[in-house]
Amino acid sequence: MSKTESKKTLLVIGGGAAGFFCAVNAARMNPLLRVIILEKSSKVLSKVKVSGGGRCNVTHACFDVQELSKRYPRGEHFVRKAFHQFFTKDTIQWFEERGVRLKQEPDGRMFPVTDSSQTIIDCLLREVNKYHVELLLNREVKQLKPENEQWEIELGNTEKIIADYVCIASGGFPKLQQFDWLKGTDHRIVAPVPSLFTFNMPKHPITELMGVVVPEATIKIQSTKLKNTGPLLITHWGLSGPCVLKLSAWGARELQERNYDFIINVNWLNDAKEQEIKDQLQLIRNTKGAQKIANNNLFHLPNRLWAFLLQQAGVKDEWRWADLPSKEQNKLVQLLCNHEFQVKGKTTFKEEFVTAGGVDLKQVDANTMQSKLHPNLFFAGEILDVDGITGGFNFQHAWTSGFIAAKTIALQ
């Protein structure tokens, strides 16, 4: 495009991670573009702010495309193609070049060294100012439609904007009708369901142990193939922690079809088999028979949980290992390895709400993020039917898709 030509306009709908990343990169790569971000609320980057407990889990320290793409219950093949263009190492480098260093935690999650999401927000806002990206707040899009090789965007206040390129990066929505404003694009919407939620177990006595964490437990959902291992947190409403959240992501559609009413089996000892534990208990009875069971937390479980399991198995406080009858021993083994719970309902993290569902990936080119139905219409982030498990994967998809859309637009 020559300097004598009039500036073309890119309109980015959504002031979140994907929208900002698309806008600032497009403006940087093509100074002749006029770039506008539209945000329907009065705040931008609100999800970035609360992510990771206010620290912002920017990405995950996995540098193998094949391996990382397996962390996406929906969109695995789509992100695998996209990651070849902008991957975790590129995210780390992009932020470092702008003065934001990231650090890796033992579980692979990556945060800014400041441990503050404000560092990421400030970096993106600096880029907005540096490249003269316009930011329009409190602008809700009511409709967009193609008009003479451009796009007409109708806002809630009867204002209209004409743009040459549109990138929709508005995030996910919990209800299907919230996608109605996209009808003018003819894109099919995969109905949204919640992902990343906790399991509610109303009135179950284990909820009295709220705050107890088991570093490595395994949960299976009965009558499904769903199973996951990881840190498990007992809350005042049921079970949470990475083990549950990841399981909820993989089972998002199946569990919604069951109306969040299902039975789980918890192995508090990771993947220990019942026979192994029986053999261990027999050995203890032979070698430490005089010791009190209550004082001998054999498997290094949190003490409150150990006491609870003994009580549930009918083991009396004063019993020694030599006194343990086979009935109570069998019950204890079963609770340790195969503790059954009825789940009824879920609780979602509203600040970090993630949905499964969105724009059908069959209608979007993973190499450009461009619509296959309309030229110059792009998508980035959670508006697409892509979602990752907890651990920085959803942000990596936001950076990748935003960058690819920006690059495609800037080079046209």
Side-chain angles (χ1 to χ4, degrees):
M1 175 172 159
S2 73
K3 292 192 178 182
T4 54
E5 284 183 72
S6 61
K7 269 194 172 188
K8 288 198 169 183
T9 299
L10 160 62
L11 187 73
V12 178
I13 301 172
F20 262 71
F21 216 64
C22 174
V24 298
N25 282 298
R28 176 177 60 84
M29 289 189 262
N30 186 346
L32 297 174
L33 265 180
R34 179 191 179 197
V35 181
I36 305 168
I37 297 176
L38 282 187
E39 168 54 45
K40 72 173 179 183
S41 73
S42 58
K43 292 178 185 167
V44 294
L45 300 167
S46 50
K47 219 172 193 181
V48 171
K49 189 165 183 63
V50 299
S51 150
R55 294 195 298 148
C56 188
N57 185 184
V58 177
T59 186
H60 201 92
C62 175
F63 304 101
D64 181 282
V65 168
Q66 201 84 354
E67 202 49 47
L68 195 79
S69 57
K70 288 178 185 167
R71 304 296 192 276
Y72 294 82
R74 266 80 35 193
E76 178 185 344
H77 301 298
F78 187 88
V79 297
R80 190 183 300 153
K81 285 182 192 167
F83 285 156
H84 286 292
Q85 289 194 60
F86 192 89
F87 196 41
T88 45
K89 64 181 183 347
D90 303 301
T91 300
I92 295 162
Q93 186 182 340
W94 193 94
F95 281 105
E96 284 199 349
E97 283 171 357
R98 287 153 184 83
V100 177
R101 284 197 309 116
L102 303 182
K103 61 173 181 177
Q104 178 183 341
E105 304 223 326
D107 61 4
R109 291 179 303 160
M110 297 195 76
F111 296 91
V113 291
T114 58
D115 274 331
S116 171
S117 56
Q118 196 60 44
T119 307
I120 303 298
I121 293 169
D122 291 344
C123 172
L124 292 169
L125 288 173
R126 279 196 302 274
E127 294 292 296
V128 158
N129 292 329
K130 183 176 179 180
Y131 297 107
H132 311 294
V133 173
E134 297 168 47
L135 201 50
L136 302 180
L137 303 178
N138 302 304
R139 303 295 210 287
E140 186 171 2
V141 176
K142 291 294 181 187
Q143 194 182 340
L144 66 158
K145 54 185 182 187
E147 195 76 43
N148 301 324
E149 296 186 8
Q150 290 179 308
W151 286 92
E152 182 182 281
I153 298 91
E154 193 180 304
L155 305 182
N157 55 3
T158 68
E159 190 183 346
K160 284 186 182 175
I161 297 178
I162 302 295
D164 300 281
Y165 310 101
V166 171
C167 179
I168 299 173
S170 53
F173 299 105
K175 293 178 182 159
L176 190 56
Q177 59 265 36
Q178 289 174 287
F179 290 88
D180 282 353
W181 60 280
L182 285 174
K183 279 183 175 167
T185 70
D186 308 315
H187 275 271
R188 193 174 89 79
I189 305 298
V190 179
V193 298
S195 182
L196 299 186
F197 50 83
T198 65
F199 294 171
N200 291 3
M201 302 181 326
K203 296 183 180 161
H204 195 286
I206 200 167
T207 56
E208 290 168 22
L209 306 184
M210 60 183 159
V212 167
V213 176
V214 179
E216 201 81 347
T218 298
I219 300 182
K220 291 180 188 169
I221 298 178
Q222 283 190 16
S223 309
T224 75
K225 292 178 179 174
L226 296 165
K227 175 183 175 182
N228 195 49
T229 298
L232 185 57
L233 167 68
I234 300 170
T235 71
H236 66 275
W237 62 83
L239 297 178
S240 184
C243 183
V244 169
L245 295 176
K246 289 176 183 177
L247 197 53
S248 75
W250 288 107
R253 294 212 171 274
E254 201 167 344
L255 299 181
Q256 192 250 359
E257 284 162 12
R258 290 168 179 245
N259 202 24
Y260 308 104
D261 187 342
F262 51 92
I263 296 169
I264 61 171
N265 295 89
V266 177
N267 187 330
W268 298 107
L269 306 176
N270 190 357
D271 58 356
K273 304 288 184 288
E274 290 194 24
Q275 190 55 52
E276 291 170 20
I277 302 306
K278 274 184 186 172
D279 293 345
Q280 266 183 277
L281 292 188
Q282 194 56 51
L283 185 64
I284 291 293
R285 292 177 67 146
N286 295 339
T287 56
K288 297 182 181 178
Q291 290 187 3
K292 274 194 174 179
I293 300 171
N295 300 341
N296 194 222
N297 186 346
L298 187 60
F299 303 102
H300 308 293
L301 289 168
N303 287 330
R304 288 168 66 202
L305 178 61
W306 176 244
F308 175 81
L309 294 173
L310 293 179
Q311 180 208 340
Q312 293 285 302
V315 176
K316 294 191 167 41
D317 288 348
E318 66 275 13
W319 282 0
R320 301 173 191 281
W321 284 110
D323 307 327
L324 184 60
S326 58
K327 180 186 168 191
E328 282 76 5
Q329 176 178 301
N330 291 340
K331 181 67 175 168
L332 179 59
V333 170
Q334 185 240 318
L335 290 173
L336 286 164
C337 299
N338 208 11
H339 200 166
E340 190 172 285
F341 297 95
Q342 175 74 50
V343 175
K344 281 187 179 288
K346 64 170 178 12
T347 300
T348 48
F349 290 126
K350 290 179 176 57
E351 303 87 12
E352 300 189 45
F353 189 81
V354 172
T355 53
V359 172
D360 192 336
L361 300 180
K362 294 189 191 80
Q363 299 178 330
V364 180
D365 184 344
N367 298 307
T368 60
M369 296 299 145
Q370 188 165 216
S371 162
K372 291 179 180 177
L373 308 183
H374 299 282
N376 302 333
L377 176 65
F378 299 80
F379 297 94
E382 213 193 315
I383 188 73
L384 292 161
D385 184 23
V386 172
D387 63 287
I389 58 175
T390 179
F393 304 102
N394 288 301
F395 272 130
Q396 184 54 52
H397 164 59
W399 312 130
T400 294
S401 53
F403 184 88
I404 293 173
K407 183 177 156 191
T408 310
I409 293 162
L411 295 178
Q412 283 191 7

